[in-house]
Amino acid sequence: MTTTAPPIKDTGSPIPKARKVRRGSVVSSAGLYFATGIAAFLFLVPFYLIVRNALSTDAEITGENWKFFPTDIQWGNFSELFDDPTVPYATSLWNSAVVGVLHTVGTLLVCSLAGYGLARIPYKHANKIFYVVLVTLMVPAAVTFVPSFVLVSSLGWVSSFRGLIIPGLFSGFTCFLFRQYFLGFPKELEEAARVDGLSYWGAYWRVVVPNSLNFFAAIATITFISGWNAFLWPLVIGQDQEAWTVQVALSSYMTNQTVNFHLIFMATAVSILPLVLVFLFLQRWLVQGVAQTGIKG
């Protein structure tokens, strides 16, 4: 009678699959956090430099011995900024706020109506008009400055809010975004409104707009930041100091004779604050709205 030897068991202990997956996810998460941390650091460095130099003297800003923070914080730079008689910085802040708000409201109204008309109102030349709008995106803005200035000057709008705001109310890119969004908007809601007797305007104002506030908020954020940071057109139109915007006032601190470094950085820090507050307040709608553009034909 022959006996068979029992099979030899493998004494090795293979790593369970779940443990391997868990270890890979940990490594992936660590790499993601590391990359995010590096990106956040690079993003925050310019803000640190602005705040640091805004509270320093010109000697500390341009000196060879770099210090992480000034030894003597110059809080007086803030009052000097607004007391400077050569640059009406408080007036420029107010002008930028007015221009930014009115420019944003006007652009939302004009471009949303244009985008809604191109997306919903049946018209045999709608696509041709849309292609013409896209062509305007290929024309550099600087090319239109001279004819626009001649027109604004002939209307007597130089150094006025009308000249700063009205010529830039229509944006081909914003119109394109609204059209793409409205193409993806549920038609059933509009059809129900039309059955109830609403016109295209009524369906737009009472149905589409209330259900598209996230997208409107996203476009408003982008438009306000763009209007606040505009420089070339306000420089051309704002010929009087009382019509200067923030960006024009910032440029006045750099002349052929002198450069006021501490005032430049202090003015920059003050001008960034409204944008940071607007972005922090509307960032959730900004992300949701951009995701809802739905690039469709």
Side-chain angles (χ1 to χ4, degrees):
M1 181 175 179
T2 60
T3 59
T4 58
I8 300 175
K9 296 182 178 181
D10 187 5
T11 57
S13 56
I15 300 176
K17 185 177 181 180
R19 188 180 301 175
K20 291 182 180 179
V21 174
R22 191 181 305 114
R23 182 177 300 175
S25 62
V26 170
V27 174
S28 177
S29 299
L32 180 61
Y33 281 118
F34 178 77
T36 304
I38 295 297
F41 173 78
L42 296 177
F43 177 78
L44 292 175
V45 164
F47 292 93
Y48 152 72
L49 293 175
I50 290 173
V51 175
R52 185 260 183 195
N53 294 337
L55 300 176
S56 305
T57 61
D58 285 353
E60 288 180 315
I61 296 173
T62 59
E64 297 180 356
N65 297 325
W66 177 264
K67 295 181 181 180
F68 183 78
F69 218 69
T71 54
D72 187 14
I73 298 178
Q74 303 295 318
W75 296 109
N77 291 348
F78 183 80
S79 59
E80 182 182 355
L81 174 67
F82 291 96
D83 294 339
D84 188 358
T86 61
V87 180
Y89 196 74
T91 302
S92 67
L93 282 174
W94 170 253
N95 292 340
S96 289
V98 173
V99 171
V101 172
L102 295 182
H103 173 70
T104 300
V105 174
T107 299
L108 289 179
L109 181 61
V110 173
C111 293
S112 64
L113 286 174
Y116 183 76
L118 292 173
R120 285 291 189 263
I121 299 178
Y123 178 57
K124 64 179 181 178
H125 299 301
N127 288 334
K128 297 178 182 179
I129 296 176
F130 176 64
Y131 295 145
V132 171
V133 172
L134 292 182
V135 169
T136 62
L137 300 179
M138 306 177 188
V139 180
V143 175
T144 63
F145 275 7
V146 173
S148 297
F149 177 78
V150 172
L151 177 62
V152 170
S153 178
S154 63
L155 294 174
W157 291 356
V158 177
S159 297
S160 67
F161 285 127
R162 291 173 295 177
L164 290 170
I165 298 171
I166 293 178
L169 287 182
F170 181 79
S171 169
F173 182 66
T174 305
C175 178
F176 165 75
L177 291 179
F178 272 111
R179 175 185 179 270
Q180 300 306 118
Y181 173 78
F182 290 139
L183 286 176
F185 189 85
K187 290 185 178 180
E188 294 78 8
L189 297 176
E190 298 174 71
E191 292 174 354
R194 298 299 303 279
V195 170
D196 291 339
L198 293 179
S199 61
Y200 283 109
W201 165 257
Y204 162 82
W205 186 251
R206 301 180 62 179
V207 177
V208 176
V209 173
N211 290 281
S212 307
L213 294 181
N214 288 341
F215 185 76
F216 274 78
I219 300 299
T221 304
I222 299 173
T223 305
F224 180 81
I225 293 175
S226 175
W228 183 275
N229 291 330
F231 173 69
L232 289 179
W233 183 249
L235 179 65
V236 172
I237 294 300
Q239 298 183 2
D240 297 336
Q241 282 192 345
E242 295 301 319
W244 281 4
T245 59
V246 166
Q247 307 305 326
V248 178
L250 278 172
S251 66
S252 65
Y253 292 112
M254 298 180 60
T255 63
N256 294 329
Q257 291 77 26
T258 59
V259 179
N260 295 322
F261 288 103
H262 65 288
L263 289 183
I264 290 177
F265 284 104
M266 178 57 72
T268 303
V270 173
S271 67
I272 287 176
L273 184 58
L275 299 183
V276 173
L277 295 177
V278 169
F279 180 78
L280 291 178
F281 180 72
L282 297 176
Q283 62 175 335
R284 178 164 59 91
W285 292 280
L286 176 63
V287 175
Q288 294 177 358
V290 172
Q292 293 174 357
T293 52
I295 305 301
K296 301 178 182 179

